[in-house]
Amino acid sequence: MEGNTSKSTYLPETRVISGMRASGKLHLGHYFGALQNWVKLQKDHQCFYFVANWHGLTTHYQSPEVVEESCMDMLIDWLAAGVDPQKSVIFIQSQIPQHAELHLLLSMITPLSWLERTPSYKDQREQIKDKDLSTYGFLGYPLLQSADILMYRSTWVPVGEDQAAHIEITREIARRFNHIYGNDDKTKQRLDQLLKSMSGEEQKIFQAKRRSYLEQGDKSGYADAREILLNGNYDPEDLLILLGYLDATGKVILPLPQALIGEFAKMPGTDGRKMSKSYGNTILLRDSEDEISKKIKVMPTDPARVRRNDKGNPEKCPVWEWHKIYSDDDTRKWVDEGCRSAGIGCLDCKKRLSDRVCAEQKPFLQRATVYQDDKAQLINVLEDGRAKATEEAEQTLKQVRALMGVGI
Ligand code: TRP
Ligand code: SF4
């Protein structure tokens, strides 16, 4: 397929953006829940990954040291996991002040009720009692996130299920923006001309697909209609007008992103509950072999196996859940049979597991050493990321400022 978008740098063909709140060292829950996917996405997309340290402040404004320290730790963890600075743009949110500017500008058109009804806002206000979250910053959390995303005119946003509502708000805000600022008379006239210039057959198919998308939410209809436009050899500006027509808004100034919700198995912690810092049941991405094996040694097992020759049942044992993730079929068979017949002891079983986990994490540690030993390398990565992100951010903001009458 030859898309015409390559002529314009404004609308990237496929771009991914995601961020993580600064919140301490990362563990395997973060790896399986997000990072592993980030690493994979680098293969086929242009990816932007950033530390959302301003978002960290919305809940940790009273602990600036936590926000500051987690920033660098998180970056090294990403690089350790395989986020590749040669392929992806890696940066820190607060180094791109344009995020704050876009946040402010978008706040002018964002109805208060959209923010007040965000499920995460309501839930967290109720759940988190030890912090005062009745701040302006906390209410604006999803809007700042929208600015992060819309800034880079991204197509895909890989996030967990819990973030789906934020991506939905982001789409609503983009729609509203394009509707308000992308509907001047010149644009409307041009749209008329463009629609008239489509051939009869093409026009018919395009309109049918568009209707099926707008009236029934048919996503494949949307994809087909979009494909027709991308293959139409349009001038980049015209393409933005037509794509906006497809969304029934106005000319596309801020493209509508889509959530890429990962379906990940929840990584269990070493005690079988969900892995979480607050339960103290984590294995960190950069734990040493010693630390890993120590943590695995004390994992609880099937309570029925008190003595070495008591038979057990893997289904009642958190160690087994880990074998399911880390071990191959042969090992799993060895565990299942050996546990049920008391042919193996729990320590043998755990030793095999820790060997596997250590082997998986060895490359993480190797990649991390480069950056731990030489901070200048990390600074270089960030400097590169800052430069590329700023360039993209300015492209969007130039348009937004001009359209909102503050471009002088
Ligand atoms: N809210 C996200 C989280 O808690 C972090 C985040 C901030 C983000 N800005 C973003 C994620 C932009 C994706 C895109 O996980
Ligand atoms: Fe768990 Fe393995 Fe012990 Fe069975 S042998 S109880 S699976 S640790």
Side-chain angles (χ1 to χ4, degrees), residues 184-365:
D184 57 313
D185 289 343
K186 223 176 98 204
T187 306
K188 283 194 224 155
Q189 281 163 12
R190 184 67 191 147
L191 175 62
D192 263 356
Q193 284 174 354
L194 287 166
L195 290 175
K196 282 192 192 119
S197 71
M198 270 190 189
S199 78
E201 189 55 21
E202 192 167 61
Q203 167 94 264
K204 220 168 80 193
I205 304 174
F206 173 76
Q207 291 294 2
K209 301 277 183 194
R210 176 177 181 265
R211 231 174 297 123
S212 141
Y213 162 62
L214 291 176
E215 288 166 17
Q216 278 128 45
D218 169 15
K219 282 196 178 156
S220 76
Y222 178 79
D224 292 346
R226 190 180 156 91
E227 196 66 23
I228 294 177
L229 298 180
L230 293 180
N231 287 331
N233 216 24
Y234 293 102
D235 167 88
E237 285 295 302
D238 289 343
L239 187 60
L240 295 174
I241 295 177
L242 284 165
L243 286 168
Y245 173 70
L246 173 56
D247 282 325
T249 52
K251 179 178 168 186
V252 174
I253 298 128
L254 301 176
L256 271 54
Q258 286 195 53
L260 258 186
I261 307 278
E263 285 178 23
F264 305 105
K266 286 257 176 309
M267 182 67 201
T270 49
D271 59 359
R273 292 186 290 177
K274 179 175 176 261
M275 187 177 282
S276 158
K277 187 162 87 179
S278 53
Y279 293 151
N281 62 1
T282 63
I283 285 191
L284 300 180
L285 225 72
R286 284 185 281 141
D287 268 346
S288 68
E289 295 199 352
D290 263 5
E291 283 158 330
I292 295 173
S293 98
K294 256 192 233 143
K295 287 179 178 177
I296 291 182
K297 255 189 205 139
V298 299
M299 278 175 80
T301 55
D302 176 0
R305 291 205 76 180
V306 185
R307 276 174 235 93
R308 167 69 178 77
N309 45 8
D310 292 333
K311 292 179 180 164
N313 177 358
E315 296 302 335
K316 294 186 179 153
C317 177
V319 179
W320 173 242
E321 293 305 313
W322 281 59
H323 273 296
K324 287 203 263 185
I325 296 166
Y326 279 96
S327 298
D328 57 19
D329 286 349
D330 286 348
T331 307
R332 277 189 275 182
K333 196 159 165 257
W334 173 84
V335 173
D336 190 59
E337 287 173 6
C339 180
R340 290 178 197 277
S341 64
I344 60 168
C346 291
L347 283 179
D348 306 322
C349 180
K350 288 175 169 179
K351 173 77 174 65
R352 282 260 186 129
L353 175 64
S354 29
D355 287 348
R356 281 293 310 135
V357 177
C358 289
E360 283 292 327
Q361 287 188 221
K362 198 167 180 174
F364 297 179
L365 290 174

Side-chain angles (χ1 to χ4, degrees), residues 28 49 56 69 86 88 139 164 178 195 210 300 311 362 390:
L28 289 175
Y49 296 129
E69 274 166 32
Q86 303 294 333
S88 298
L139 177 67
N178 297 336
L195 290 175
R210 176 177 181 265
K311 292 179 180 164
K362 198 167 180 174
T390 302

Side-chain angles (χ1 to χ4, degrees), residues 39-55:
V39 171
K40 281 193 204 135
L41 287 166
Q42 297 179 119
K43 225 168 17 115
D44 300 315
H45 307 272
Q46 182 186 28
C47 299
F48 286 67
Y49 296 129
F50 69 98
V51 181
N53 55 346
W54 282 338
H55 279 103

Side-chain angles (χ1 to χ4, degrees), residues 140-190:
Y141 185 112
L143 185 60
L144 179 58
Q145 184 165 354
S146 301
D148 297 337
I149 297 169
L150 297 175
M151 182 79 87
Y152 299 96
R153 309 176 302 277
S154 317
T155 18
W156 301 108
V157 192
V159 282
E161 185 77 63
D162 62 321
Q163 297 290 309
H166 293 172
I167 310 304
E168 211 30 65
I169 285 205
T170 307
R171 291 170 59 85
E172 289 304 319
I173 288 166
R175 231 183 235 122
R176 187 165 160 83
F177 188 95
N178 297 336
H179 182 75
I180 299 176
Y181 300 105
N183 270 318
D184 57 313
D185 289 343
K186 223 176 98 204
T187 306
K188 283 194 224 155
Q189 281 163 12
R190 184 67 191 147

